Amino acid sequence: MSGRQAASPRLGPAAAHRGLRRFRAPVPPTPERCELCGVVLAEHNHRHLVNTERRALACACTACALLFDRPGAGGGQFQTVPDRYLVDPGHTLDDAAWNLLQIPVGVVFFLRHADPDRLVALYPSPAGATESELDTSTWQSVLAASRLTGLLRPDVEALLLRRSEGRIDCYLVPVDICYELVGRMRLLWQGFDGGAEARTALGDFFAKVARRAREPKGDDRT
């Protein structure tokens, strides 16, 4: 005797509507969590750590960030990104120095990796952060023109330069905002020079940096 396939239950209009609504309802975003302890993070108010082994950023709650705020804490694998912004209005960087850098855009940031000790230069591009292949001795001779170079903390801070309208601005900033800038430029970039929207976003970004930045004081140190 052959079996018969059971008929599917028929739903009334109201039940069918409720069933379809489940698929149309937007899925709430997954809350961002601390990558160390798992606690839910405030949307716009949390810290970042640098995983020095993977050379990657990790989101952290305030408590976990404080644990790794001291050099060498936790074996040095994680380091808290500082929140200081410094400016050097008296630097002697000029167009001749900039041309030595051979950077094809008007923004570049320099990082020093502690292990191994290596200085790298990166700049925003449509593909993300692009590393310059220029010899590091050239960078070091150029960067010597700013007193911020000696204050740079390896892995967690960057020396950020911008060439615009005949001037070069020089800042020491948290490394996470440099990657924030790279992501923003990658999202907005259009055409050969980035386009108007990307230029506006770049101007807004540096205006915020300028408002937060202060000149170095005697207690600023690496």
Side-chain angles (χ1 to χ4, degrees):
M1 182 176 180
S2 61
R4 296 180 59 189
Q5 184 176 2
S8 301
R10 296 179 62 84
L11 298 177
H17 178 72
R18 287 194 299 270
L20 291 173
R21 189 170 55 193
R22 286 185 306 161
F23 297 100
R24 292 201 305 265
V27 178
T30 303
E32 196 164 25
R33 294 181 178 273
C34 174
E35 295 183 42
L36 274 72
C37 71
V39 69
V40 174
L41 299 172
E43 184 176 357
H44 300 295
N45 185 26
H46 64 263
R47 303 290 297 275
H48 288 109
L49 305 175
V50 171
N51 184 326
T52 57
E53 292 183 359
R54 296 173 51 200
R55 292 182 180 169
L57 291 172
C59 295
C61 64
T62 301
C64 287
L66 290 175
L67 289 175
F68 298 97
D69 203 22
R70 293 173 298 166
Q77 179 182 356
F78 291 99
Q79 293 186 40
T80 301
V81 177
D83 59 358
R84 67 174 180 170
Y85 290 71
L86 304 179
V87 62
D88 182 9
H91 68 77
T92 57
L93 293 162
D94 55 17
D95 285 343
W98 184 273
N99 291 336
L100 287 174
L101 297 175
Q102 299 181 26
I103 300 297
V105 296
V107 177
V108 61
F109 60 98
F110 295 86
L111 308 175
R112 181 176 293 283
H113 296 309
D115 185 22
D117 185 13
R118 178 171 175 255
L119 185 70
V120 297
L122 302 109
Y123 55 89
S125 77
T130 300
E131 183 174 339
S132 171
E133 298 181 355
L134 188 65
D135 183 76
T136 55
S137 62
T138 302
W139 301 337
Q140 291 169 339
S141 65
V142 171
L143 298 182
S146 173
R147 57 179 169 160
L148 298 182
T149 303
L151 301 177
L152 188 63
R153 297 175 184 172
D155 298 315
V156 294
E157 291 183 325
L159 200 63
L160 178 64
L161 306 181
R162 184 194 186 194
R163 183 189 195 185
S164 176
E165 298 178 354
R167 58 177 289 176
I168 297 174
D169 295 316
C170 182
Y171 300 98
L172 187 151
V173 298
V175 68
D176 52 0
I177 74 155
C178 293
Y179 287 107
E180 175 188 329
L181 174 63
V182 166
R184 185 69 172 158
M185 291 298 99
R186 184 178 183 181
L187 179 66
L188 298 177
W189 196 287
Q190 293 183 351
F192 178 76
D193 62 352
E197 190 175 3
R199 288 193 296 271
T200 298
L202 188 65
D204 292 342
F205 172 86
F206 274 94
K208 293 178 182 178
V209 169
R211 285 195 297 270
R212 296 193 62 174
R214 59 173 175 80
E215 293 191 43
K217 300 184 296 186
D219 59 350
D220 283 304
R221 60 187 183 277
T222 56

